[in-house]
Every structure is written in C-alpha cells, then in structure tokens.
Amino acid sequence: MFVTNTDRVRAELEGRIVDGALAPGTTLDETLLCKMFDVSRTPVREALLQLSAEGYVRIVPRAGIYVVQLSAGELREMFESMAYFEGLCASLAAQRISDSQLKKARYLQELGNDALSRQDIDAYRQYDKEFHECIYGGCGNSYLRSQLIYLRKRTRPYRRHHGPFSFEQAQSSWDDHQVLLEALQRRDETHAMQVASRHVRIYALPFIEAGEVAPEHLYFGAGPRQAGELSVMDMPRLFLSARQRDESLVP
C-alpha cells in the first residue's frame, strides 16, 4: 500500500498526541516538524489540517498551532457518549460476536492478567486497548466501532495520565472484562450492556465530579483553586468512591 508523506506525518503526529508524547496544549512548529520528518511544508500543513478537522490540533491564524486541550465539560460529554456506545456495542456483540473473536478476547484477558501480575503497566494498557477493540469488532457495526475507537483515542492522554491509579484498581477494572466475557458467552445482551456501560461510568465519574476544572489541571496536575473546588488530585479518591458506590454517570 502506497503511503504519502502527508499520511506518514499525520499518522505519526496522531500517534504521539494519542499516547501523550505531545501533551495537550503543546505548541507545534511547522519548521521543526519539517526537519523531524524530513519533508517540505506542504505535507506537514496538509497533515495538520487533517488533524485539525478531526479535533486533535487547533490552528489559530497568526498565533500558532496547538495540540487540543479538552475541557472538563468536553471530557464529560465524551465519557457520557462512550458509556452509552460501549453498552450498545456489548449488547450487539452478545448477538453477533463469533467464536473466534471470543477466543481472541479470552486470550487477551489472560495476557492482561499476566501483565498485572508482573505489574507491567505498558503491557496492561496495550492488552486493554486490544481487548476493547476485539469486542468492537464483534458488534458487527463498523460505524459504532469507528466512533468508539475515535472516542478512546481522544480521551487516551487523559486516561493514561490519571489512571489506573494503582495496580489494585487496575485489577478491579480488568475483572470487569471477565464479567463481560461471561455475559457474551451466555449471549446475555442485557447484562453485557450493563457491565460495559458501568465499566466506563466508574472510570469517568472522577471527571464528572471534578466539574468545570481548568483544562490545565485536568492534564498537568493541581494548580490554584478555590476552597472546596475539586481537582484531578482528588481523582484517585473519586475513582474508588465510584466503584464502591456503583453510581450511574447518566441519570
């Protein structure tokens, strides 16, 4: 498959943004990018325009180009959408997932358990990503799959930055996968939907309870705040509280 310079630059920049190597708020310099990728300005500009159209970067005329930094409100809306879409996807997968896809999901579950036992957070994150994408593939709806992958990409820098907050919490989150697998094996659409949606809600609740915190606090940590105002430094406590209470994200 032929890959243009624009495609190459775009894919590399998107990957670095999604993984957090280019953090939210980072300024992107066209000249430096040209040197980095050994290309002219044209493919760099075309790649940046594509990334801007997809919401990864913001181009401000005569001011600069920046990696988009999501607000708490934007994250809230994304997590609300993810909770609903994950539930719908799991429900459809309970009807449509193939035996080979279930086998792959079980294998990824085993690999994830092994990564947690070794406390290998990078491997855990990779298997978590592959597990979810395996379920997305099993739902038999390519549009829903693409929307979920996009939402996971957009929220990944924040999810990677703030959690899981301990290996105990990561194990608790991973245990949800086992419950979901059992529901899929039984072809239990209702339970699969409930488990998948709850999995996202519990993870997202700290962002919801944090409210309209300044965007820089969401990624870079605590900053000045008024008495009683929540920041991301409170999120480990809120994560545990969410799992203990099993509250719903959407009323």
Side-chain angles (χ1 to χ4, degrees), residues 64-111:
I65 304 169
Y66 309 91
V67 176
V68 168
Q69 189 161 290
L70 298 173
S71 68
E74 289 170 323
L75 279 168
R76 173 180 184 148
E77 292 176 355
M78 287 185 179
F79 279 123
E80 285 177 344
S81 299
M82 282 178 65
Y84 181 81
F85 288 162
E86 288 272 2
L88 176 59
C89 177
S91 177
L92 291 173
Q95 305 171 48
R96 303 171 179 174
I97 195 167
S98 67
D99 290 341
S100 62
Q101 288 170 320
L102 268 176
K103 182 178 180 180
K104 180 180 179 181
R106 286 194 295 268
Y107 178 62
L108 290 168
Q109 174 75 355
E110 292 172 2
L111 292 176

Side-chain angles (χ1 to χ4, degrees), residues 82-232:
M82 282 178 65
Y84 181 81
F85 288 162
E86 288 272 2
L88 176 59
C89 177
S91 177
L92 291 173
Q95 305 171 48
R96 303 171 179 174
I97 195 167
S98 67
D99 290 341
S100 62
Q101 288 170 320
L102 268 176
K103 182 178 180 180
K104 180 180 179 181
R106 286 194 295 268
Y107 178 62
L108 290 168
Q109 174 75 355
E110 292 172 2
L111 292 176
N113 281 330
D114 179 65
L116 286 174
S117 68
R118 293 183 283 106
Q119 296 196 350
D120 186 340
I121 191 63
D122 289 332
Y124 161 82
R125 285 169 170 162
Q126 180 60 32
Y127 295 137
D128 178 70
K129 172 179 175 290
E130 292 181 22
F131 178 90
H132 281 275
E133 290 185 358
C134 181
I135 304 303
Y136 300 163
C139 80
N141 185 314
S142 59
Y143 179 79
L144 181 59
R145 174 181 177 275
S146 66
Q147 291 302 304
L148 277 166
I149 289 175
Y150 173 74
L151 285 169
R152 287 184 68 84
K153 283 182 177 180
R154 291 299 311 279
T155 58
R156 188 181 302 165
Y158 302 87
R159 292 186 288 110
R160 285 176 67 93
H161 192 69
H162 296 302
F165 308 105
S166 71
F167 282 99
E168 290 76 13
Q169 292 167 33
Q171 183 64 63
S172 180
S173 178
W174 197 255
D175 289 344
D176 289 344
H177 290 186
Q178 182 60 42
V179 178
L180 175 58
L181 275 175
E182 292 170 359
L184 293 176
Q185 289 168 337
R186 296 194 310 271
R187 303 294 175 177
D188 188 336
E189 301 169 32
T190 300
H191 194 210
M193 174 182 284
Q194 292 171 343
V195 172
S197 183
R198 173 183 178 274
H199 183 70
V200 177
R201 291 199 304 265
I202 289 174
Y203 196 99
L205 193 60
F207 291 96
I208 306 309
E209 292 194 357
E212 295 298 329
V213 179
E216 62 270 20
H217 295 178
L218 280 171
Y219 194 83
F220 293 108
R225 53 180 171 144
Q226 298 178 354
E229 181 185 24
L230 291 170
S231 83
V232 294

